[in-house]
Amino acid sequence: VIEDLGLRVAIVPQPNWQDDLRDFKKLGKPRLFFGVTSGNMDSMINHYTARKRLRSTDAYTAGDKSGFRPDRATSVYTKIIRDNFPDSLIVAGGIEASLRRLTHYDYWDDKLMPSIMSDGNIDLLVYGMGEQTIRKICLQLLKGDSIDKMTSLPQICYVANSTPNNNTNDKTKDAIILADHEECLKSKRSFAKNFSIIEKASNSIYAPKLAQKSGDRMIVVNPPELENNDIDRYYEYPYTRLPHPKYWKKPLIPAFEMIRFSIN
């Protein structure tokens, strides 16, 4: 999708986060942004059974070997990038980021966790099917626009600089204001009400904007992109439909063997 705009894309699969971090540094600072995803499956579900026992295999890794990604990989990767490239734009996406965009229940720690954006390492979060949105982000960056000019884009989450008030310039003035993270920690009823609103919004054709305060940050979630015929165009691009070249001389990837002859 990004290459179709005439841009070059470098993909670093399963970077090593335990050594000198050379995988994160070897390509230098990108012209537009770092795009971060933890992969096709939530890292915690991938690493642990429902009884919270560590899995011994990973179907998404060559040779079915485990241990090549960290727990909560999106947060780990974005922190490393922020520490090493503090001025770079970081755009997160994928299943793991999408499910953690607001206060959420974490099964593994058995407690409520704040938005994945609360630590300040992610500039923009694209949730759901993000082809149209990531294309628009690229086009605005190519024009020289800053993040402040992207806050009207659909299907993104961002941190607003202001809290809800009557100011017409307030980015949250048209949003449904959810109970803040601290209130959810005190009240299960407040969290349950939030959950109901979020789920209904996620399944609405014309969804509302949502906003939630978490600490000193206001997390804003814009409504999703309305579907159009662009999705046909995205699926017609010349994908190789093969694993990253890094894996060509390595053992088979079980998840790829399972899906290689499937159709969308």
Side-chain angles (χ1 to χ4, degrees):
V1 172
I2 297 175
E3 284 180 341
D4 188 60
L5 296 173
L7 300 170
R8 291 187 300 170
V9 182
I11 299 176
V12 183
Q14 294 186 336
N16 191 333
W17 77 102
Q18 296 175 304
D19 59 4
D20 59 2
L21 307 178
R22 67 186 68 182
D23 284 347
F24 293 88
K25 302 173 184 176
K26 59 187 175 185
L27 295 170
K29 181 179 178 179
R31 176 185 172 195
L32 298 185
F33 60 86
F34 282 98
V36 180
T37 174
S38 67
N40 289 328
M41 180 181 286
D42 187 290
S43 62
M44 299 302 286
I45 294 174
N46 195 42
H47 293 169
Y48 301 94
T49 69
R51 298 189 69 176
K52 303 183 181 180
R53 298 187 64 178
L54 189 65
R55 297 183 192 273
S56 58
T57 59
D58 180 355
Y60 290 87
T61 299
D64 205 13
K65 295 181 179 179
S66 62
F68 282 81
R69 280 180 291 174
D71 287 355
R72 301 181 176 89
T74 301
S75 294
V76 173
Y77 294 158
T78 53
K79 184 181 187 306
I80 291 172
I81 293 170
R82 180 62 71 210
D83 289 344
N84 288 276
F85 300 92
D87 298 328
S88 284
L89 181 68
I90 299 178
V91 181
I95 293 173
E96 190 166 290
S98 296
L99 294 177
R100 291 163 169 76
R101 59 187 185 268
L102 295 164
T103 295
H104 55 281
Y105 173 69
D106 185 276
Y107 174 77
W108 319 104
D109 283 355
D110 190 26
K111 66 179 183 180
L112 294 185
M113 304 284 272
S115 166
I116 194 173
M117 301 189 72
S118 296
D119 58 16
N121 292 324
I122 299 171
D123 296 299
L124 291 175
L125 186 154
V126 179
Y127 66 92
M129 301 293 282
E131 289 91 347
Q132 296 183 68
T133 304
I134 204 69
R135 184 174 183 274
K136 291 177 179 178
I137 290 173
C138 288
L139 290 173
Q140 290 205 223
L141 288 173
L142 288 171
K143 290 194 304 181
D145 288 347
S146 63
I147 297 179
D148 289 340
K149 294 187 177 180
M150 299 183 200
T151 55
S152 61
L153 288 177
Q155 213 153 313
I156 65 165
C157 304
Y158 63 93
V159 177
N161 295 324
S162 56
T163 54
N165 55 40
N166 296 321
N167 188 336
T168 55
N169 295 320
D170 185 358
K171 294 180 175 65
T172 63
K173 69 183 181 66
D174 297 323
I176 293 178
I177 308 300
L178 301 170
D180 62 37
H181 176 68
E182 288 68 25
E183 174 61 27
C184 289
L185 294 178
K186 298 175 184 176
S187 168
K188 292 182 179 181
R189 186 176 295 275
S190 293
F191 176 68
K193 185 176 180 180
N194 274 9
F195 186 86
S196 176
I197 294 171
I198 294 166
E199 284 300 298
K200 288 177 181 177
S202 298
N203 291 284
S204 298
I205 295 176
Y206 300 103
K209 178 189 289 188
L210 303 176
Q212 183 189 36
K213 193 170 184 291
S214 181
D216 60 352
R217 298 174 179 272
M218 178 62 70
I219 313 298
V220 181
V221 181
N222 286 351
E225 180 81 74
L226 293 176
E227 290 185 12
N228 57 39
N229 293 330
D230 281 349
I231 195 167
D232 293 330
R233 178 158 57 91
Y234 297 140
Y235 277 98
E236 290 171 356
Y237 289 150
Y239 301 102
T240 66
R241 303 186 186 281
L242 294 170
H244 190 280
K246 172 183 178 179
Y247 302 110
W248 284 358
K249 294 183 180 180
K250 294 189 177 183
L252 296 177
I253 300 172
F256 172 67
E257 292 302 306
M258 180 269 292
I259 208 73
R260 66 187 304 180
F261 298 119
S262 298
I263 60 172
N264 290 305

